[in-house]
């Protein structure tokens, strides 16, 4: 009897997740569509183009989260887990994606936070890019919260013989 109740609860959660995913997809579609159109415009000024690219990347990451909601009952396939990811390029994106928090919001509260990159060239790694971006973004946002007086955040990628190490450190 308890198993039937648990299965019904899971089914209800799955239906709710599906509904939320559908609504979020409807919201993300124009964001991704319009940013895609803007990026195709050859007359878009370079500074604005870069900002639109960040919005587009964040929208794509949000769409990937929505996709995970839609796949609530399904495990990822081996192909989904073995994407080739340029980790160095991905980590280079994090300061721009998190700039509103570590620079703008921090300065508004009287704090100065610096973000430093310490990256070495490495071969692509296996992973899921949007999930890795989400992890690094969360680590940087947590680091900002851990530094009420300001400080420095360092994103580092290095490699040894067969190992890649990526880390986020802060002075908080």
């Amino acid at each position: 009897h308890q198993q039937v109740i648990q299965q019904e609860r899971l089914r209800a959660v799955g239906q709710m997740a599906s509904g939320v995913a559908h609504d979020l997809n409807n919201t993300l579609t124009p964001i991704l569509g319009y940013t895609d159109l803007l990026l195709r415009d050859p007359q878009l000024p370079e500074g604005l183009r870069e900002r639109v690219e960040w919005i587009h990347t964040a929208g794509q990451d949000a769409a990937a989260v929505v996709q995970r909601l839609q796949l609530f009952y399904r495990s990822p396939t081996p192909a989904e887990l073995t994407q080739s990811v340029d980790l160095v390029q991905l980590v280079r994106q994090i300061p721009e994606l998190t700039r509103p928090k570590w620079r703008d919001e921090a300065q508004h509260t009287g704090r100065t936070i610096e973000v430093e990159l310490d990256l070495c060239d490495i071969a692509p790694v296996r992973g899921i890019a949007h999930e890795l971006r989400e992890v690094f973004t969360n680590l940087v946002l947590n680091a900002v919260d851990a530094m009420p007086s300001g400080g420095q955040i360092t994103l580092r990628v290095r490699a040894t013989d067969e190992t890649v190490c990526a880390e986020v450190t802060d002075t908080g």
Side-chain angles (χ1 to χ4, degrees):
H1 180 67
Q2 289 292 358
Q3 278 184 324
V4 170
I5 291 172
Q6 185 66 18
Q7 287 175 345
E8 282 301 310
R9 285 183 181 160
L10 284 174
R11 189 175 68 74
V13 169
Q15 286 177 337
M16 184 177 69
S18 177
V20 169
H22 178 75
D23 292 344
L24 288 173
N25 261 337
N26 288 343
T27 302
L28 288 169
T29 296
I31 294 168
L32 290 171
Y34 282 116
T35 55
D36 190 45
L37 286 173
L38 283 169
L39 291 171
R40 291 180 191 186
D41 183 352
Q43 296 179 357
L44 187 66
E46 190 54 39
L48 186 55
R49 176 175 303 282
E50 186 176 337
R51 290 183 184 102
V52 172
E53 286 172 349
W54 294 124
I55 293 168
H56 193 72
T57 298
Q60 288 175 320
D61 288 351
V65 170
V66 170
Q67 184 178 21
R68 284 199 327 247
L69 274 175
Q70 291 173 322
L71 302 174
F72 187 67
Y73 286 113
R74 184 178 74 81
S75 297
T77 65
E80 291 170 328
L81 295 175
T82 59
Q83 298 173 2
S84 180
V85 177
D86 182 342
L87 188 61
V88 171
Q89 182 58 32
L90 185 141
V91 170
R92 278 192 179 111
Q93 296 172 344
I94 302 305
E96 288 301 321
L97 289 171
T98 57
R99 183 180 298 270
K101 177 85 173 176
W102 66 261
R103 188 192 68 190
D104 303 337
E105 184 181 312
Q107 285 179 351
H108 188 59
T109 60
R111 298 181 289 164
T112 300
I113 296 177
E114 300 290 329
V115 175
E116 179 181 311
L117 296 175
D118 181 7
L119 309 171
C120 68
D121 289 329
I122 62 168
V125 298
R126 296 282 188 211
I128 300 173
H130 68 86
E131 289 183 3
L132 289 167
R133 219 176 352 262
E134 184 178 341
V135 167
F136 285 110
T137 296
N138 286 335
L139 289 171
V140 168
L141 298 181
N142 289 343
V144 171
D145 292 340
M147 297 188 298
S149 302
Q152 182 172 331
I153 299 169
T154 303
L155 293 104
R156 184 173 290 114
V157 174
R158 61 179 184 243
T160 59
D161 294 333
E162 294 184 24
T163 305
V164 172
C165 179
E167 62 186 37
V168 177
T169 58
D170 65 74
T171 58

